[in-house]
Amino acid sequence: MSGDKEKGYFTEAESAEVVMGSIAATTDERLHQIMDAVIHHLHAAVKEIEPTQEEWFQAIQFLTKTGQMSDEWRQEFILLSDILGVSMLVDAINNRKQGDATETTVLGPFHVENAPELENGADTSLDRKGEPLVVHGKVRSVEGAPIEGASLDVWQCNDDGFYDVQQRGIQPEFNLRGMFHSQKDGSYWFRAAKPRPYPIPDDGPVGQLLEKLGRHPNRPAHLHYIIGADGYEEITTHIFVPDDEYIDSDAVFGVKESLLADFVKVDDPDRAEKFNVANPFWEVEFDFVLVPTAG
Ligand code: BEZ
Ligand code: FE
């Protein structure tokens, strides 16, 4: 009834419009636009679902537990966004591919600021677990020019499937992390350990939801990177091991075809000596392509 709406009384039929009427005075245009979409979609979902009172309260309890699980080290809401594909959607909207620029993917919760600055060729594997890996390639511009001095912030899990920050006191601090810089010809290289698949933290409400949905919590093996250079857009990305058992079912939807790297098993004592690694070892070559900043 339009009379009710004008007075601001609530009706089932015009529920979203009534709530929107209550925020007409806001002067924040972006907030108004966001709330308009959120309220309309939320009310439409509730009308479609027609939850019982108990189901509504279950949803409230789920969100409450998600908040209670979160602290300085654990962000269960981001994990929820990750497993619902929202993190990848926000990433896609904000990083639309330009030319052959390297595609981006999720940051994840295990990045730390101030990873140690390392020289090219350094070994990030401080616990020496797993199979040795040599990672090398170039950083260049979409226009083709090599980029000297690009920063490559790299991190990965160890051979037990944990990041150092998940195992404080067990793994050495900064295990499998480092900040490298590309050389004059854009090249970079470092030693590491072959990454392995691992489960995202699944001992909270998000893990319970995954289980109820018949989903596994695993991510395919990958290395993380944040790459930046003066005059270029910074990128947050991964490279993936393509024949991983979870490559087609990443719990957080982070895989992109262009990020599948060629991990080659090398059995060659001369090449091992050149890279100062034990033979046999794994080698992966991957180039990163950056987009100049606008203006
Ligand atoms: C990760 O790759 O480190 C990660 C990404 C999203 C959720 C959990 C972990
Ligand atoms: Fe990861």
Side-chain angles (χ1 to χ4, degrees):
M1 282 179 289
S2 62
D4 287 347
K5 193 181 136 203
E6 278 158 27
K7 286 189 215 135
Y9 293 146
F10 191 89
T11 65
E12 180 179 337
E14 297 195 280
S15 62
E17 288 69 31
V18 173
V19 176
M20 280 309 296
S22 76
I23 66 164
T26 181
T27 53
D28 187 330
E29 274 180 40
R30 179 67 173 155
L31 179 63
H32 191 275
Q33 182 196 7
I34 291 168
M35 292 310 291
D36 194 358
V38 169
I39 288 165
H40 278 100
H41 287 284
L42 189 58
H43 282 235
V46 172
K47 284 174 185 180
E48 186 180 329
I49 297 164
E50 296 197 332
T52 63
Q53 210 69 51
E54 287 73 30
E55 287 170 332
W56 168 81
F57 192 59
Q58 237 183 319
I60 298 292
Q61 281 178 311
F62 174 80
L63 293 174
T64 303
K65 275 194 249 149
T66 301
Q68 287 168 341
M69 195 78 198
S70 302
D71 59 24
E72 195 190 343
W73 302 111
R74 176 79 176 256
Q75 231 304 349
E76 195 76 356
F77 274 112
I78 296 183
L79 216 52
L80 180 59
S81 160
D82 293 342
I83 65 121
L84 295 178
V86 174
S87 305
M88 281 303 289
L89 181 56
V90 173
D91 178 64
I93 290 166
N94 286 283
N95 295 283
R96 292 194 176 114
K97 189 165 162 58
Q98 296 182 38
D100 68 345
T102 301
E103 291 192 281
T104 54
T105 188
V106 277
L107 173 67
F110 303 124
H111 176 252
V112 301
E113 302 289 335
N114 306 319
E117 298 270 346
L118 300 176
E119 294 294 327
N120 277 283
D123 195 349
T124 60
S125 175
L126 305 180
D127 65 359
R128 305 275 163 163
K129 287 187 175 179
E131 297 173 277
L133 171 70
V134 172
V135 189
H136 62 98
K138 287 193 172 174
V139 184
R140 67 168 174 85
S141 150
V142 275
E143 283 135 13
I147 302 174
E148 181 184 2
S151 58
L152 297 98
D153 189 352
V154 304
W155 71 104
Q156 64 170 98
C157 71
N158 80 345
D159 199 51
D160 297 324
F162 294 102
Y163 288 81
D164 58 349
V165 290
Q166 293 176 286
Q167 292 194 313
R168 289 172 203 280
I170 298 174
Q171 289 188 41
E173 197 184 3
F174 299 120
N175 189 30
L176 293 158
R177 294 180 189 274
M179 178 73 86
F180 295 90
H181 289 91
S182 58
Q183 303 172 106
K184 204 170 182 59
D185 60 353
S187 65
Y188 71 89
W189 83 280
F190 59 93
R191 290 172 292 157
K194 185 158 187 262
R196 48 154 286 167
Y198 65 86
I200 63 170
D202 64 347
D203 56 344
V206 168
Q208 284 167 10
L209 179 63
L210 283 175
E211 198 179 339
K212 283 207 164 186
L213 295 174
R215 286 175 55 183
H216 67 72
N218 298 300
R219 298 213 65 207
H222 57 272
L223 275 84
H224 289 259
Y225 294 85
I226 296 176
I227 301 176
D230 284 348
Y232 292 89
E233 300 287 348
E234 183 180 274
I235 58 165
T236 297
T237 194
H238 301 359
I239 61 170
F240 290 93
V241 178
D243 54 359
D244 190 283
E245 63 182 303
Y246 301 113
I247 202 72
D248 295 325
S249 64
D250 184 357
V252 303
F253 307 99
V255 180
K256 291 181 177 172
E257 197 165 359
S258 66
L259 302 178
L260 304 183
D262 199 11
F263 285 74
V264 179
K265 184 92 187 232
V266 180
D267 187 356
D268 178 343
D270 291 342
R271 198 155 176 81
E273 198 181 323
K274 177 185 156 196
F275 287 125
N276 192 20
V277 282
N279 192 56
F281 63 102
W282 288 88
E283 185 176 343
V284 60
E285 180 175 6
F286 200 91
D287 292 348
F288 294 99
V289 181
L290 305 185
V291 177
T293 41

